[in-house]
Amino acid sequence: MDLFAFFGSSVCHQMAERSFFWGSLQSPVCARCTGIEAGIVFGVLFFWLSGRKDGNRPFFAPTAVLLAVSFLPIAVDGVGSYLGFWESTQLRRVVTGAMAGYTIVPWFLLAGNFQPGKENVKPIFRHIGEPLLLLLATLLYGFAVWMGYVPYVLAGLITTVGILCFYGGFWYLLLRLCCTGRRLPFIRLALCGGGATATGIAVLIQNLTL
């Protein structure tokens, strides 16, 4: 088991029949999680490069509706396939995962940065075109993985970074809640916590499966 698969085990069942393959190499996570983690990575990159990682203004109604509706496909496809109404495909899994994944970071930012009773004027998204572009980028990546255009190492790296950021998001929320008003390197601390959490869960799962 390589390092990518090790971290992948902390969030995914890693079932072979629901995963992408590069020859004999299986993707670190299933197709659906591949889309989810990519959406998280692209979200982190977008907010970091745009300088809006401290955004705290609630979404405008069209953006909030778009982010909420984007969760519906993964819920419908996941529940429908689980109940046996249909058998999902790899393309459908990665697309629905991407649609859900790109929404995770902005919700984390809003929950962590919003200050009740204060003026929250720093935008997370300036207009609905930004989340739409983020969604499009994540969908294109998922489609490229499905087509076999993305090499294994790059896909594994994006997935692993997404996992660390996913767990780091929970640490970010916890730190912001417990240390309100303090000036701390919240993001760096959250990433350290995310790395430790992912490692701990992966080690536990590996020991349970031995």
Side-chain angles (χ1 to χ4, degrees):
M1 177 170 289
D2 62 25
L3 186 63
F4 297 148
F6 171 77
F7 281 109
S9 67
S10 69
V11 296
C12 183
H13 52 66
Q14 299 179 314
M15 295 172 63
E17 62 271 23
R18 298 184 182 181
S19 302
F20 295 114
F21 276 85
W22 288 258
S24 61
L25 294 174
Q26 180 181 335
S27 59
V29 294
C30 70
R32 208 180 303 275
C33 287
T34 296
I36 293 173
E37 305 308 331
I40 293 173
V41 171
F42 291 159
V44 168
L45 288 175
F46 172 80
F47 292 110
W48 188 272
L49 294 176
S50 66
R52 272 180 260 151
K53 58 184 182 297
D54 296 321
N56 57 15
R57 189 176 68 191
F59 307 118
F60 293 119
T63 300
V65 170
L66 173 65
L67 296 177
V69 169
S70 294
F71 268 99
L72 292 178
I74 194 172
V76 172
D77 187 54
V79 172
S81 60
Y82 178 79
L83 295 177
F85 293 129
W86 59 76
E87 179 62 32
S88 190
T89 64
Q90 299 293 60
L91 179 59
R92 192 184 301 163
R93 292 185 182 108
V94 74
V95 165
T96 56
M99 292 185 69
Y102 90 98
T103 71
I104 293 176
V105 175
W107 285 119
F108 268 132
L109 286 179
L110 180 60
N113 296 338
F114 182 79
Q115 301 179 57
K118 296 185 178 181
E119 192 175 12
N120 296 277
V121 297
K122 298 179 181 178
I124 295 176
F125 289 118
R126 296 187 185 278
H127 50 77
I128 196 171
E130 291 181 338
L132 284 173
L133 287 175
L134 190 56
L135 170 60
L136 178 61
T138 309
L139 287 173
L140 288 175
Y141 171 81
F143 186 73
V145 174
W146 178 71
M147 290 291 293
Y149 294 150
V150 180
Y152 172 76
V153 172
L154 178 58
L157 182 61
I158 289 176
T159 295
T160 302
V161 172
I163 292 169
L164 300 182
C165 290
F166 172 71
Y167 285 117
F170 292 101
W171 279 97
Y172 183 78
L173 294 180
L174 180 63
L175 289 168
R176 296 288 293 190
L177 180 64
C178 296
C179 304
T180 302
R182 298 184 183 181
R183 298 184 64 84
L184 297 173
F186 289 106
I187 292 180
R188 289 196 291 272
L189 290 173
L191 288 176
C192 290
T197 301
T199 301
I201 293 175
V203 168
L204 178 62
I205 291 175
Q206 299 307 315
N207 288 332
L208 291 175
T209 56
L210 290 178

